Amino acid sequence: MAYDKFNVLRSTAVPLPIENIDTDQLIPARFLKATERVGFGDNLFRDWRYNPDNTPKKDFVLNNPIYSGKILVGGKNFGSGSSREHAAWAVYDYGFRCVVSSFFADIFKNNCLNIGVLPVQVSAEFADKVFTAVLANPNTELEVDLDAQTISILGTDEKESFDISPYKKHNMLNGFDDIDYLQSIKTEIEDFATKLPF
């Protein structure tokens, strides 16, 4: 399933300075029945966003109109817990294209990379600077440059580099999932196959 190409993302951010956010909070298990990657955004952080009567909880950041954007900034150990792909789907379907944290659970991180959400792991010190800037001024913009592998707090001199595998970087720059990548090199695969001795 192809997704939007990711090159440079410049956006305001939604701050969620909570550590150890697990995948059951991202998308509760009762919403895992669907098999298509649509509709999960409505239930992202469902139990934190809504009361039992389905009214929004006013004190949760996604219900606060002063915060918006395509970047979610989370606390350390983001996406821990079960390996459910639906957690990454919910983040994408809600509209986030980048999650920033000082540490990601590996499976969640890879699930994000497979569907077009860029997990940007930064130092704890830089994460604190991002939280401080965004909480002080919700209009603060971040710039995430995938090609340069940098994240910047615009309007300041604060910038940090981040790591990403070359393969995943290539795919995100082109909007490829793993199948799209194989299709993009179909001719090379066919040429290689003709040279096999069997």
Side-chain angles (χ1 to χ4, degrees):
M1 176 179 168
Y3 48 77
D4 297 337
K5 295 179 181 180
F6 195 117
N7 192 341
V8 177
L9 175 61
R10 182 173 179 170
S11 175
T12 51
V14 177
L16 189 58
I18 301 173
E19 294 188 356
N20 304 311
I21 294 174
D22 63 40
T23 53
D24 195 53
Q25 295 301 335
L26 285 162
I27 185 72
R30 63 187 182 278
F31 298 112
L32 304 186
K33 296 176 183 178
T35 56
E36 296 182 357
R37 300 178 191 175
V38 293
F40 289 98
D42 292 340
N43 295 308
L44 177 67
F45 294 116
R46 179 74 191 195
D47 294 336
W48 289 357
R49 284 169 68 191
Y50 296 100
N51 294 303
D53 64 359
N54 292 324
T55 57
K57 294 181 179 179
K58 294 181 180 180
D59 60 347
F60 187 61
V61 68
L62 292 191
N63 297 328
N64 188 338
I66 71 170
Y67 295 110
S68 64
K70 294 185 176 183
I71 300 173
L72 175 63
V73 186
K76 182 180 180 181
N77 197 25
F78 194 96
S80 59
S82 71
S83 61
R84 64 188 66 165
E85 291 176 291
H86 305 70
W89 297 356
V91 170
Y92 183 92
D93 193 57
Y94 184 84
F96 291 119
R97 292 298 173 266
C98 176
V99 181
V100 179
S101 176
S102 60
F103 183 79
F104 289 97
D106 285 341
I107 295 175
F108 174 79
K109 183 177 183 178
N110 286 321
N111 286 340
C112 283
L113 288 166
N114 287 338
I115 64 159
V117 175
L118 180 62
V120 173
Q121 187 164 315
V122 297
S123 66
E125 293 76 16
F126 190 83
D128 286 342
K129 290 176 182 178
V130 172
F131 280 126
T132 298
V134 174
L135 290 169
N137 179 7
N139 293 319
T140 297
E141 287 188 315
L142 305 179
E143 183 176 274
V144 181
D145 186 328
L146 176 56
D147 193 39
Q149 294 179 215
T150 59
I151 178 171
S152 307
I153 305 173
L154 297 181
T156 74
D157 295 326
E158 303 295 344
K159 177 187 282 192
E160 188 165 285
S161 298
F162 61 89
D163 293 327
I164 183 172
S165 80
Y167 170 67
K168 293 300 185 183
K169 178 179 178 178
H170 172 81
N171 281 1
M172 291 203 70
L173 287 169
N174 289 282
F176 291 165
D177 64 13
D178 292 333
I179 301 301
D180 297 317
Y181 173 74
L182 289 174
Q183 290 177 333
S184 76
I185 60 170
K186 180 179 178 181
T187 301
E188 296 170 50
I189 294 171
E190 290 173 341
D191 288 345
F192 177 79
T194 62
K195 298 172 184 175
L196 293 175
F198 49 84

